[in-house]
Amino acid sequence: MQENAHVLYYRQPAANWNEALPLGNGRLGAMVYGSVENECYSLNEDTLWSGYPMHHTRENAPAAFRQARELVLQGKYEQAQQLMEKEHTGLWSQLYLSAGEMQLSFHYATPVEQYERKLDMRTAVHTVSYRTGGVSYKRESFISHPDQCLVIRLSCDREQALDFSFRLSPALNAHLLMEEKALAFQGNAPVCHSLHAHETEGKSGMLYGEKDEDKGMGFYARAEMEHQGGYAIRRGGAIHVFGASQATLYLDIRTSFSGWDKHPVLEGKPYIQPCCDTLQKAKATGFDALLSRHIHDHQALYQACTLSLGDGSSLPTDERLYAHEEGKRDNALYALYFHFARYLTIASSREGTQATTLQGIWCDFITPPWNCNYTVNINTQMNYWPTLQTNLLSCHAPLVQLIREVTESGKRAAKDYYNAPGSVAHHNTDLWRMTAPVGASMPGCGLYALWNFSLPWLCQHLWEQYRFTGDLLFLKNTAFPLMEEAAAFCLSLVTETKEGTFIFAPATSPENEYLLNGKPVAISLYSAMNQALMQDLFSNLLSAAKVLNTETEWTQKAAHVLPKLQLFDVGKDGELLEWNENFEEKEIHHRHISHLWGLHPGHSISPDRTPKWAAACRRSLERRGDESTGWAMGWRINQWARLRDGNHALKLIDDQLKVVEGRAPGKEPFHGGGTYLNLFDAHPPFQIDGNFGACAGMAEMLLQSQEGSLHLLPALPEKWANGEVKGLRARGGYTVDICWEQGRLKQARITADHPGVLTLHNGDTYPHQAGETILING
């Protein structure tokens, strides 16, 4: 593997958190700064959230919903929104929290030379190296999935030349504990009551309970140290080591979390002893064996899919980003960005862990932006767009578990807020699987709070997992039952219009508004996105029922409603309409493109089957524009790839690679979305979904299979004239390797999981057996 497509490399330490480099094993996360004298590991554990299970109800919510439906049928949209905001919104989600930091201190009398820090994504090992006083020093760090801890080895090339100290600094109220060669802290997380943390920094919304029933998550962090040579002393809340030749630190964090519906104190699980046991086992295993096990585990996932786009720069990553903005060709930078997203998936989403939040598993705030929760009107879904495409099936499991739990929680919300069967969730959820609408009756909160179609969208991921794998047990036991709950909610509330079409009313389009008599309004009779989501959900449910040879009350209703669903309208400017009328858009360049869901990630619009609607999508994208937040550009990449315009998709990737923070001397700050110097996506602030969106878009540019056939190189940009991708996955259960030269297919190797018939986009067919590889020559 060419190094410049797999290694992030810098000649100076990180100046801030958005320049630090991420490590993770799905549960435990660290951001490593790489400082010479004051090293910092910013720490997270994926179940360290505020709060405990809560359920908010509004007595008049079901009646308000039905009254609002009558109002929108009469065209009284503003009145409907005011009613829903007042009677149909609840409190905010809880927060994902920082655990704190581990700090290492070093002191040198002479200047440092030959400094280098790098993250080798091939091994998931972070390294800092430098030379001072005639001695070479090295720090190697990784977070092991097999052994569930952060491991750091400090070494030097001269005996007894290693002096350092280390300390733990909790981000939350905690008791500090010190032993001979170990440090720890223990506490309980706060509870966020009613206030939106993003808007109330420093105010009284975060409370630490005194009684067990009022306390939040119990947590315990522990670091232990071994050293060769020298001696260690305890002083000033730190452990100091003098005259060592080598030292190894082991760190773990555990919480009392025992389930989304369990109180973390009253029903919490043990967490202190398991943390201690993890570190004892790691110490007994030893650094070399830990490293070997870690690399073997990581590479089984990382090497499953690789992209090569030709030569690139050997400069440090930050300098490559600046040079890329200046137009210097560096195709390996695109491959680096692709591999970084896959690395982030492996580091933040493993089987048995929580799904990735707005920031993955990395967060250095106590009151993070948007509570660092699960925003399920695009962001959580985007986090998992590339997972199946790029051969990371096991990393999809946390999302499936989240959908399972949200569906269970959402049954109560469906009853309490709509008096409806099935299950519903709105635009936010959290560790405790809240499904009620947020907003706290704030005027204008309907803009985001009243959207109630996150489960139909999440259910698409279940159907897609079946399409990519052909796993019938998964379809029968997991996907179909969950899809049916989401469909039951929608089908019980659809309205038949005078024209005989079915709509879901009232409706919103996530976070967007139109102007009505000069005033911004979010609610309408129906929205293009919700209608597309119902079409997708009902179609998938009926397809699943056919595969399983089953029929239920809800599949019968879906079969009745599906052909009569109101779908898409085209506006006066040729655009796809977002709402039921050609309203004036409040913000024509809005970041969300929800009305285009049917093009991507949905499948109801395509240039081949529905050219009129595809053309309307193109016009909508042109009107919305390219410049936007980081994640919104990521979505646009996928949209242009589905329209088979690879050059425009690449233009958006270039826009997304613009540096947002840490500009080189003399550079003007860039205030839109883009990329931080550590390749994190910038909304800004940091949101990880843009990394995943861009990766998925690159995969879409090289291979599409949503139409039931394989389309090789459907949106190849001119600048990617030569390249090779290995390990992409296609629906139908195929693993695909593609090599191309001068913009044309050279050869594709397609390996089938199951017996069947492979169909290419051009109509060619290839019968095959399970495990057979089909060669397609250009």
Side-chain angles (χ1 to χ4, degrees):
M1 296 183 182
Q2 64 186 99
E3 184 165 308
N4 60 0
H6 297 275
V7 179
L8 282 72
Y9 150 59
Y10 303 85
R11 290 173 176 154
Q12 69 284 327
N16 54 60
W17 193 88
N18 288 320
E19 294 182 17
L21 296 173
L23 296 173
N25 65 0
R27 182 185 66 83
L28 189 65
M31 295 289 290
V32 190
Y33 284 65
S35 173
V36 172
E37 294 197 328
N38 298 291
E39 178 63 287
C40 176
Y41 292 77
S42 176
L43 303 171
N44 291 100
E45 204 278 349
D46 74 337
T47 59
L48 184 51
W49 287 67
S50 68
Y52 43 72
M54 302 178 187
H55 186 75
H56 307 292
T57 61
R58 300 295 300 274
E59 182 178 356
N60 297 325
F65 173 79
R66 283 160 176 80
Q67 187 178 348
R69 180 166 58 194
E70 294 304 314
L71 288 170
V72 296
L73 287 168
Q74 300 169 34
K76 298 178 180 179
Y77 304 128
E78 190 174 2
Q79 294 94 316
Q81 181 168 335
Q82 291 170 354
L83 174 65
M84 289 283 282
E85 288 174 346
K86 180 181 179 182
E87 300 289 350
H88 206 267
T89 57
L91 302 182
W92 308 103
S93 75
Q94 293 298 313
L95 296 79
Y96 182 53
L97 302 169
S98 168
E101 297 178 344
M102 181 165 65
Q103 298 148 351
L104 280 62
S105 297
F106 307 82
H107 300 285
Y108 303 110
T110 57
V112 168
E113 301 174 329
Q114 301 174 29
Y115 176 90
E116 179 179 282
R117 68 179 172 110
K118 65 181 181 179
L119 172 61
D120 190 332
M121 296 187 291
R122 298 167 297 187
T123 60
V125 175
H126 180 282
T127 305
V128 176
S129 60
Y130 52 88
R131 188 170 177 82
T132 182
V135 182
S136 294
Y137 293 89
K138 187 176 184 180
R139 273 176 240 150
E140 300 165 272
S141 308
F142 60 91
I143 298 182
S144 168
H145 179 256
D147 294 287
Q148 289 295 304
C149 61
L150 166 64
V151 183
I152 305 166
R153 181 165 66 180
L154 312 177
S155 59
C156 56
D157 65 356
R158 180 186 295 174
E159 293 291 319
Q160 301 180 340
L162 181 61
D163 300 338
F164 72 98
S165 65
F166 74 97
R167 68 177 64 239
L168 293 178
S169 299
L172 306 169
N173 290 355
H175 301 290
L176 297 174
L177 307 167
M178 180 178 288
E179 300 174 16
E180 183 179 355
K181 293 184 181 180
L183 300 173
F185 59 75
Q186 178 186 355
N188 288 88
V191 179
C192 179
H193 286 286
S194 77
L195 297 175
H196 194 315
H198 181 50
E199 300 172 348
T200 57
E201 180 107 32
K203 296 185 180 180
S204 59
M206 301 291 285
L207 301 177
Y208 288 88
E210 295 185 4
K211 299 179 181 179
D212 283 353
E213 59 265 31
D214 298 326
K215 291 179 180 178
M217 190 77 71
F219 60 87
Y220 181 76
R222 182 178 180 87
E224 299 189 10
M225 183 269 298
E226 296 178 316
H227 60 93
Q228 295 179 9
Y231 62 95
I233 62 172
R234 293 176 286 174
R235 185 175 64 202
I239 294 178
H240 300 257
V241 177
F242 300 96
S245 301
Q246 183 175 286
T248 307
L249 292 96
Y250 309 85
L251 179 139
D252 189 21
I253 305 171
R254 298 283 172 160
T255 78
S256 63
F257 179 73
S258 60
W260 66 273
D261 55 351
K262 302 290 191 302
H263 193 286
V265 177
L266 301 179
E267 303 171 279
K269 69 178 182 181
Y271 58 102
I272 296 175
Q273 192 59 48
C275 184
C276 297
D277 291 345
T278 295
L279 299 186
Q280 287 302 307
K281 183 179 178 182
K283 290 167 63 177
T285 302
F287 180 87
D288 291 337
L290 290 171
L291 178 62
S292 176
R293 285 161 51 85
H294 160 73
I295 292 175
H296 178 77
D297 171 80
H298 174 76
Q299 289 184 342
L301 295 171
Y302 186 80
Q303 293 180 351
C305 180
T306 59
L307 173 64
S308 175
L309 295 170
D311 295 336
S313 171
S314 59
L315 290 171
T317 304
D318 52 342
E319 296 178 36
R320 292 174 71 182
L321 287 168
Y322 294 132
H324 182 78
E325 285 189 47
E326 295 171 356
K328 296 180 181 178
R329 185 164 183 158
D330 185 0
N331 274 6
L333 182 62
Y334 301 119
L336 182 73
Y337 199 47
F338 177 88
H339 294 135
F340 185 59
R342 292 189 73 255
Y343 168 84
L344 292 176
T345 296
I346 298 167
S348 63
S349 185
R350 300 295 290 270
E351 197 161 4
T353 72
Q354 297 300 310
T356 51
T357 71
L358 284 170
Q359 296 186 187
I361 55 169
W362 300 279
C363 173
D364 64 333
F365 294 96
I366 300 304
T367 53
W370 303 289
N371 294 8
C372 197
N373 61 20
Y374 301 104
T375 304
V376 284
N377 67 11
I378 170 63
N379 312 94
T380 300
Q381 290 90 334
M382 184 182 284
N383 284 359
Y384 287 90
W385 281 354
T387 309
L388 297 175
Q389 290 175 293
T390 66
N391 219 339
L392 291 172
L393 173 62
S394 65
C395 296
H396 201 244
L399 179 66
V400 174
Q401 185 63 22
L402 180 142
I403 298 169
R404 184 182 289 112
E405 294 169 353
V406 167
T407 299
E408 187 61 31
S409 173
K411 293 176 184 178
R412 185 170 178 179
K415 180 179 179 181
D416 289 349
Y417 281 81
Y418 299 89
N419 194 23
S423 182
V424 66
H426 295 78
H427 100 294
N428 278 162
T429 191
D430 57 19
L431 183 71
W432 312 111
R433 306 314 186 222
M434 67 158 287
T435 51
V438 300
S441 299
M442 292 172 50
C445 70
L447 169 69
Y448 47 86
L450 297 177
W451 187 74
N452 47 14
F453 265 68
S454 64
L455 275 178
W457 190 344
L458 288 167
C459 282
Q460 188 207 33
H461 285 260
L462 304 176
W463 177 245
E464 289 288 76
Q465 179 162 324
Y466 168 71
R467 291 191 72 193
F468 275 95
T469 65
D471 186 339
L472 285 171
L473 286 177
F474 172 81
L475 181 65
K476 178 182 178 181
N477 298 330
T478 300
F480 183 81
L482 296 176
M483 291 161 60
E484 191 171 38
E485 293 291 348
F489 172 80
C490 297
L491 288 164
S492 69
L493 295 175
V494 291
T495 299
E496 188 170 6
T497 67
K498 295 177 181 179
E499 293 75 25
T501 61
F502 285 98
I503 61 173
F504 193 98
T508 64
S509 191
E511 302 184 34
N512 203 2
E513 297 172 300
Y514 57 89
L515 295 177
L516 186 64
N517 300 320
K519 297 180 180 179
V521 180
I523 275 187
S524 63
L525 181 62
Y526 63 84
S527 68
M529 183 190 210
N530 288 5
Q531 296 300 121
L533 281 165
M534 283 197 294
Q535 183 195 41
D536 185 81
L537 176 62
F538 301 162
S539 297
N540 296 343
L541 183 71
L542 292 173
S543 296
K546 183 177 180 180
V547 171
L548 297 173
N549 191 27
T550 189
E551 185 177 68
T552 69
E553 172 192 357
W554 298 112
T555 62
Q556 291 174 348
K557 290 184 177 181
H560 172 69
V561 169
L562 180 60
K564 301 178 183 179
L565 275 178
Q566 171 68 45
L567 290 179
F568 308 109
D569 299 306
V570 178
K572 59 187 178 183
D573 196 25
E575 80 279 20
L576 202 75
L577 289 187
E578 189 157 2
W579 299 278
N580 56 287
E581 296 183 39
N582 207 152
F583 295 117
E584 179 184 354
E585 294 161 284
K586 178 189 174 186
E587 185 183 349
I588 195 172
H589 301 305
H590 197 270
R591 61 195 178 279
H592 284 259
I593 47 175
S594 305
H595 53 313
L596 309 186
W597 192 94
L599 176 64
H600 180 277
H603 312 143
S604 56
I605 299 175
S606 80
D608 293 330
R609 287 185 294 101
T610 59
K612 177 182 176 181
W613 289 343
C617 290
R618 176 182 288 271
R619 182 63 188 130
S620 292
L621 287 168
E622 292 169 347
R623 294 173 85 249
R624 283 282 158 99
D626 292 341
E627 184 175 332
S628 192
T629 62
W631 69 261
M633 288 191 284
W635 195 353
R636 285 159 170 79
I637 295 167
N638 288 270
Q639 294 274 339
W640 284 106
R642 286 281 174 95
L643 291 172
R644 301 172 193 161
D645 190 335
N647 288 334
H648 203 134
L650 185 62
K651 188 262 183 189
L652 277 155
I653 297 172
D654 290 335
D655 289 344
Q656 197 166 339
L657 284 170
K658 290 180 179 177
V659 178
V660 169
E661 187 176 287
R663 306 287 290 182
K667 293 277 187 178
E668 290 297 319
F670 180 74
H671 297 293
T675 297
Y676 294 112
L677 291 178
N678 63 358
L679 294 189
F680 270 172
D681 170 70
H683 180 284
F686 164 52
Q687 279 189 204
I688 202 168
D689 42 13
N691 289 101
F692 299 130
C695 177
M698 289 188 231
E700 291 277 349
M701 293 159 72
L702 301 174
L703 175 66
Q704 294 180 22
S705 59
Q706 69 276 5
E707 297 292 319
S709 61
L710 271 64
H711 195 167
L712 307 174
L713 306 179
L716 188 69
E718 294 174 0
K719 291 182 179 179
W720 292 1
N722 304 301
E724 183 177 24
V725 65
K726 294 182 177 180
L728 287 178
R729 292 285 294 173
R731 296 164 185 86
Y734 298 101
T735 302
V736 183
D737 302 343
I738 309 171
C739 179
W740 65 95
E741 291 181 354
Q742 300 303 313
R744 298 177 64 85
L745 175 70
K746 180 180 180 183
Q747 187 180 76
R749 296 174 56 89
I750 304 170
T751 303
D753 293 347
H754 316 287
V757 178
L758 168 69
T759 303
L760 297 184
H761 181 259
N762 63 7
D764 292 349
T765 58
Y766 300 84
H768 57 76
Q769 299 300 315
E772 185 177 347
T773 297
I774 302 103
L775 296 181
I776 310 293
N777 294 308

